[in-house]
Amino acid sequence: MIEDFIKAMAKIIMMREQKSYTDARTELDGLSKLVTGFGVEHLISLGAPGIKYVFSQNKESEAEKIYCSARILKEEGLILKSQGKTEDSLKSLEISKELFKLASQMEIPEKNEALKEFEELSK
């Protein structure tokens, strides 16, 4: 699942870099629904504690979904920042940072990457 997720994220990042913000956000929302079952706006409204609670109900996929949610919300924050929507961007990036911290404390292959992302967002 993570390999396909990373490919989809690369496509979304490319769209953001090409300033195709609407397309990037549409793809990101679709990816979010596919991976987590929730759209980006729903993830934001849940916040980090809500996301952790919802995904802790299924221990098999909890860590993966928390990590993917962190990546999705980071990208959402970067897209919003590129659009000049600073306040909305900061909200998404803050939730992303909290989720990366949670993921870095779990036993997943992406543990070190999650810690690196958390440290970068903490600067």
Side-chain angles (χ1 to χ4, degrees):
M1 178 173 111
I2 294 288
E3 188 176 310
D4 291 335
F5 175 80
I6 291 171
K7 287 178 187 176
M9 286 298 297
K11 178 181 175 185
I12 293 165
I13 291 167
M14 186 177 68
M15 287 179 190
R16 174 178 44 92
E17 290 172 350
Q18 293 174 345
K19 300 185 184 336
S20 298
Y21 302 128
T22 302
D23 293 340
R25 291 187 75 202
T26 300
E27 287 285 326
L28 191 62
D29 195 58
L31 178 63
S32 181
K33 288 175 183 172
L34 181 68
V35 173
T36 68
F38 299 104
V40 173
E41 290 299 319
H42 198 172
L43 288 178
I44 292 168
S45 70
L46 285 171
I51 292 169
K52 181 176 180 0
Y53 174 76
V54 169
F55 295 145
S56 69
Q57 304 306 305
N58 181 352
K59 292 293 183 189
E60 289 178 20
S61 63
E62 174 187 17
E64 249 182 27
K65 287 187 177 184
I66 288 173
Y67 175 78
C68 290
S69 296
R71 292 284 307 265
I72 287 166
L73 291 174
K74 178 184 176 192
E75 187 58 30
E76 171 75 357
L78 294 174
I79 292 168
L80 291 169
K81 184 177 181 181
S82 296
Q83 291 180 298
K85 299 178 181 179
T86 308
E87 190 175 314
D88 292 335
S89 170
L90 291 175
K91 184 175 183 179
S92 292
L93 291 172
E94 186 59 35
I95 296 169
S96 174
K97 180 175 83 170
E98 292 176 46
L99 293 173
F100 277 126
K101 183 177 182 182
L102 285 171
S104 73
Q105 297 166 348
M106 300 174 148
E107 292 304 318
I108 56 172
E110 298 79 21
K111 181 177 182 167
N112 290 334
E113 185 176 330
L115 180 60
K116 181 181 166 189
E117 292 280 1
F118 168 74
E119 290 170 350
E120 188 174 305
L121 288 169
S122 296
K123 292 180 183 177

